[in-house]
Amino acid sequence: EEKPTLEWRVKPFTIQDSGIISDNDIKVGYLNFAHSDSLGKHLDYSSSRLQTQNFLYRPTKYKQAVFTPEVGFIGTHYDKTNSGGSSTALFGVLGGEASMNMYKIYGNSRHVIKPYARYDYYHKFEDSPDNHYIFDIDDSWSKLNMLRVGVHNMLLKKDERGVYPSITGDLYTNAFFSTSSIPKNIPKIYGDISYGEF
């Protein structure tokens, strides 16, 4: 149970004239982990959780290509853990994305093709998810070294209502490096497609 969780997200802003965008998010919550009576009340656990996510990135355009390097920090503090005491998990984030937009017009429709590559590296400074309970995805940050490569497709239609997507598709794969829990560097290729007049 979360009773309650409050979130304050600062609208991303540009730092003076540098072109660097700052994106910040803070969450404060009280978490309660209750077991059934048959398992025993002595296993019940509760903790307050304070989390901050802070990122800096700077998009740079070159012709049809966009390059966006990114650096960030994720910190989560728990005042109580399942083993007693408090716990703090700290991660440094380094990565970025490169993409290119290409399109062709057919009558009142436009086909947009966007090849892209995104790299994410999460470095764990302290603690481990094993030192606290996992209530939700915000508690499960772990070391990550991943490259995603894909091609995003979108068919846009234009009529009296304006321009809207009718078909979108994404074909991509994730490559993992130095990840012992995933034996293959490229385990699978994925495809997403959606259709509809939005």
Side-chain angles (χ1 to χ4, degrees):
E1 299 175 322
E2 298 182 38
K3 21 179 216 188
T5 292
L6 303 176
E7 181 175 5
W8 181 49
R9 184 172 183 86
V10 180
K11 181 180 179 181
F13 61 92
T14 303
I15 301 174
Q16 296 182 348
D17 297 328
S18 64
I20 298 173
I21 298 171
S22 178
D23 190 359
N24 305 280
D25 184 72
I26 297 173
K27 291 181 182 178
V28 179
Y30 183 78
L31 310 170
N32 184 45
F33 196 88
H35 292 80
S36 67
D37 293 339
S38 61
L39 294 176
K41 290 290 186 182
H42 65 283
L43 296 174
D44 291 355
Y45 163 74
S46 61
S47 173
S48 61
R49 177 179 66 190
L50 172 64
Q51 184 176 80
T52 179
Q53 297 183 32
N54 311 94
F55 294 93
L56 297 173
Y57 56 93
R58 189 184 191 284
T60 302
K61 292 184 179 181
Y62 178 74
K63 296 184 179 178
Q64 292 177 302
V66 179
F67 304 93
T68 309
E70 183 179 291
V71 64
F73 167 81
I74 299 173
T76 309
H77 178 76
Y78 307 85
D79 73 329
K80 295 178 184 177
T81 67
N82 51 328
S83 57
S86 61
S87 174
T88 302
L90 303 174
F91 289 88
V93 180
L94 182 66
E97 183 171 315
S99 63
M100 181 180 293
N101 279 321
M102 300 175 287
Y103 69 89
K104 190 168 181 65
I105 296 175
Y106 303 96
N108 65 341
S109 299
R110 175 182 291 191
H111 180 204
V112 179
I113 300 175
K114 179 183 175 182
Y116 65 90
R118 174 162 185 87
Y119 176 71
D120 288 294
Y121 179 74
Y122 286 51
H123 177 74
K124 178 177 62 179
F125 289 112
E126 295 180 24
D127 208 339
S128 149
D130 296 334
N131 294 343
H132 55 265
Y133 279 118
I134 306 296
F135 287 94
D136 57 32
I137 197 168
D138 289 328
D139 301 310
S140 57
W141 294 105
S142 62
K143 183 179 178 181
L144 178 68
N145 190 359
M146 185 185 84
L147 174 68
R148 172 177 285 194
V149 179
V151 179
H152 186 79
N153 282 269
M154 185 165 47
L155 184 63
L156 299 166
K157 293 181 68 176
K158 182 178 180 181
D159 60 20
E160 64 278 359
R161 296 174 294 173
V163 179
Y164 58 92
S166 59
I167 299 176
T168 60
D170 196 9
L171 183 66
Y172 61 95
T173 187
N174 296 321
F176 297 91
F177 308 98
S178 304
T179 306
S180 57
S181 59
I182 302 176
K184 293 183 178 180
N185 289 98
I186 302 176
K188 293 183 179 181
I189 296 176
Y190 303 91
D192 301 325
I193 190 167
S194 61
Y195 170 79
E197 297 185 359
F198 304 101

